[in-house]
Amino acid sequence: MIGEGSAPRTTQAAEGLRRRRFTVDEVTAFVEHGLIDDRERFELIGGEIVPMSPKGLFHERLKTALNIYFVRALPPGVLVSQETTFYLSEDTFLEPDFVFYEEADGLEKLKGETCLLAVEVADSSLSYDRGRKADLYASFGLRELWVVDVRPRSIRVFRKPTPTGYANVSDVAGDAAVKALNVPALELTLASFD
């Protein structure tokens, strides 16, 4: 029951119809009780369950190569997790391909402000990852996001988050190197993965 002064547990879809808003705890319970298959890929954005695109072969090959590279390139004290659930608020979680964080903090303290870098590897989800998802990361204070475009092998780098998006956005060609601001030992040139 909604108490006086509480926000309604609904969202409004593009067509104007109201929908019930879910929390992270509720969605977790749905999975635990088998109401949602634990192999189903989705994100929870502002209380709405958003199905994720299926992963293609190019996406998976590049992600595997990046995973090997990232693990080998990390300095002591920094960890990377692949496809972890990134809890941003009581009604929002995302599933980035990679998140980098201080080992001392661990996943328990992973938030927008404590994440050193998030990396999204995009093929069919490119416009979503560069648009709505990047804006979400910025609104939660994620300091740096890389969106890797699988096909031309380029990276869009997002830095300086604001509540409405990133103030600094740049494109890095596949033959150029990009260096992570908060993990200086991490430098990536995508052309080396061909």
Side-chain angles (χ1 to χ4, degrees), residues 2-193:
I2 296 175
E4 214 172 294
S6 341
R9 296 293 311 259
T10 61
T11 62
Q12 188 166 334
E15 73 275 1
L17 298 176
R18 291 168 54 97
R19 298 201 174 131
R20 187 190 188 289
R21 210 181 80 197
F22 296 102
T23 66
V24 168
D25 290 341
E26 289 170 330
V27 172
T28 301
F30 294 162
V31 173
E32 287 172 358
H33 290 89
L35 298 172
I36 297 176
D37 190 311
D38 63 355
R39 293 167 296 184
E40 191 171 341
R41 294 185 65 243
F42 62 90
E43 294 177 328
L44 184 68
I45 299 174
E48 290 190 358
I49 297 172
V50 179
M52 301 309 299
S53 303
K55 302 173 193 172
L57 185 59
F58 291 112
H59 176 278
E60 290 302 288
R61 281 186 181 155
L62 181 56
K63 192 170 67 178
T64 299
L66 287 172
N67 187 49
I68 293 166
Y69 171 76
F70 288 152
V71 169
R72 290 179 178 163
L74 283 181
V78 176
L79 296 178
V80 61
S81 288
Q82 186 177 357
E83 293 185 355
T84 191
T85 303
F86 192 174
Y87 297 100
L88 296 167
S89 72
E90 72 170 19
D91 68 357
T92 300
F93 65 75
L94 300 175
E95 298 273 341
D97 289 299
F98 301 97
V99 289
F100 297 80
Y101 52 94
E102 297 284 349
E103 184 175 11
D105 290 341
L107 282 172
E108 298 78 16
K109 294 183 182 173
L110 185 63
K111 297 184 217 169
E113 314 85 50
T114 61
C115 183
L116 302 173
L117 170 69
V119 177
E120 295 284 355
V121 179
D123 193 356
S124 60
S125 65
L126 183 64
S127 62
Y128 169 67
D129 289 342
R130 286 181 169 180
R132 176 72 175 122
K133 199 167 186 179
D135 290 345
L136 273 168
Y137 281 128
S139 72
F140 285 101
L142 179 75
R143 296 177 275 176
E144 185 169 12
L145 169 67
W146 294 355
V147 177
V148 176
D149 187 346
V150 169
R151 299 294 173 158
R153 298 281 171 101
S154 64
I155 302 173
R156 182 160 291 170
V157 178
F158 298 84
R159 294 177 174 150
K160 296 187 181 174
T162 73
T164 58
Y166 284 93
N168 185 320
V169 179
S170 60
D171 289 316
V172 178
D175 59 351
V178 62
K179 192 174 203 171
L181 288 179
N182 301 297
V183 190
L186 194 65
E187 187 172 321
L188 180 64
T189 305
L190 279 179
S192 63
F193 293 92

